[in-house]
Amino acid sequence: MTVSLVTLEHQGAVALVTLSSPNALNPLTHELMTALGNTLQMLDADNQTRAIVVTGSARAFAAGADIQAMAQMTYARAVTENFLADDWQRVSTLRKPVVAAVRGYALGGGCELAMIGDIVVAGDTAVFAQPEIKLGLLPGAGGTQRLPRAVGKSLAMEMNLTGEPITAARALAAGLVSRVVPDADVVNTALTIGESIARHSLPVLMAVKAATSRAFETSLAEGLSYERSAFHGCFALDDQREGCVAFLERRVPHFNHR
Ligand code: DAK
């Protein structure tokens, strides 16, 4: 029997990708990460898709990397096989906007996968943690890098050094998530955000994502320079003219994504 580890649905220009491991905790096995990477890379290349929502089960967005596999791992193999690196590279290099819709546990790699989302929506019972320290490990996919950028040094250090979880309410206050809604509304809220994104011009959406992401990767002067170039570049697009003219004509713009 072939089990589909990832399910894909389309709602207009928004794709909904659901981690569907037989274990509802969605441990991020190599097989699951391969299926997720394949799906996300395909959507990133698909002209009809302008926003991607990633979610898990009602019990867990994901409970982290596969501890079974890590229990067997050696240093030599981790280094020579570049353990986990390729799987994660493929899910973290998307150019289209990604909304993570988190219900239940987002632990370790699950929290890091949520942070790959450009926007994170959480259910009110969601739990975020970087519990790797309890396994004799440190976070490996952004817990020491994206997390402090999202929540600041003190809370990131507390999470990484204690491994203890934070609630959705605390994640909201810290800036890890953009909204907290009832668990039952998480996916629909993320899809609504996705639809609101997908109304816009695809090349401009990609430019916004790239430029905003720069804010976490470079100096202010470099980031502002990048932003200005990207802004000037918009004047090469039909969609820029259409957007401005539609505003002046008091009508909805019809973007052609070029
Ligand atoms: N991996 C494998 N199996 C897992 C798992 C995981 N992460 N989480 C849970 N399971 C399995 C359990 O072993 C158990 O299996 P059976 O005994 O039934 O065969 C089953 O799922 C149910 O789990 P529990 O019995 O523990 O369920 P509870 O409701 O009592 O607890 C829990 C739920 C989510 C609180 C608990 O299972 C838990 O604490 N899970 C582990 C969470 C964790 O420590 N996650 C961090 C893993 S380290 C990197 C990229 C990524 C990473 C590193 C590097 N690179 C790009 C280099 C990421 C690292 C990590 O995520």
Side-chain angles (χ1 to χ4, degrees):
M1 184 182 72
T2 307
V3 178
S4 174
L5 298 172
V6 167
T7 60
L8 172 60
E9 296 158 73
H10 295 276
Q11 195 162 298
V14 183
L16 173 62
V17 177
T18 305
L19 307 187
S20 310
S21 167
N23 179 344
L25 292 174
N26 281 322
L28 298 169
T29 60
H30 173 63
E31 292 73 21
L32 177 53
M33 291 301 291
T34 300
L36 181 61
N38 288 344
T39 304
L40 293 177
Q41 289 290 334
M42 181 271 289
L43 291 170
D44 214 36
D46 169 32
N47 285 340
Q48 304 306 313
T49 302
R50 292 193 287 282
I52 301 167
V53 173
V54 179
T55 195
S57 72
R59 191 161 171 228
F61 181 71
D66 182 8
I67 299 173
Q68 290 276 1
M70 291 192 293
Q72 322 289 329
M73 188 48 57
T74 64
Y75 174 73
R77 276 189 52 216
V79 171
T80 56
E81 296 170 15
N82 212 5
F83 181 51
L84 296 177
D86 291 343
D87 284 349
W88 282 77
Q89 180 73 5
R90 297 181 71 235
V91 303
S92 58
T93 51
L94 305 179
R95 298 175 67 215
K96 291 179 181 170
V98 177
V99 183
V102 177
R103 295 167 292 171
Y105 296 112
L107 307 182
C111 185
E112 292 167 318
L113 186 61
M115 288 191 286
I116 286 169
D118 302 301
I119 298 167
V120 185
V121 177
D124 49 11
T125 67
V127 171
F128 297 85
Q130 297 291 160
E132 289 88 342
I133 192 79
K134 298 178 182 177
L135 302 170
L137 291 163
L138 73 153
T144 71
Q145 299 302 310
R146 288 195 183 91
L147 187 62
R149 285 165 167 84
V151 306
K153 175 182 165 184
S154 187
L155 179 55
M157 283 286 193
E158 184 182 326
M159 291 173 69
N160 288 339
L161 292 171
T162 68
E164 293 303 314
I166 63 167
T167 61
R170 198 156 176 217
L172 180 66
L176 182 58
V177 308
S178 73
R179 301 188 196 195
V180 177
V181 299
D183 282 345
D185 298 338
V186 171
V187 174
N188 279 339
T189 302
L191 287 169
T192 301
I193 293 171
E195 280 166 9
S196 176
I197 291 169
R199 267 180 223 130
H200 305 303
S201 166
L202 180 59
V204 183
L205 290 170
M206 292 167 118
V208 168
K209 171 165 174 162
T212 309
S213 300
R214 284 281 162 126
F216 302 98
E217 290 160 7
T218 190
S219 69
L220 179 60
E222 286 295 325
L224 289 170
S225 171
Y226 183 91
E227 179 187 66
R228 190 169 52 248
S229 294
F231 172 76
H232 289 161
C234 289
F235 294 96
L237 293 170
D238 294 348
D239 284 345
Q240 173 276 322
R241 185 64 51 89
E242 168 62 10
C244 293
V245 169
F247 173 82
L248 295 173
E249 294 178 352
R250 296 180 182 275
R251 61 174 174 79
V252 175
H254 300 291
F255 293 125
N256 288 317
H257 311 292
R258 51 188 156 84

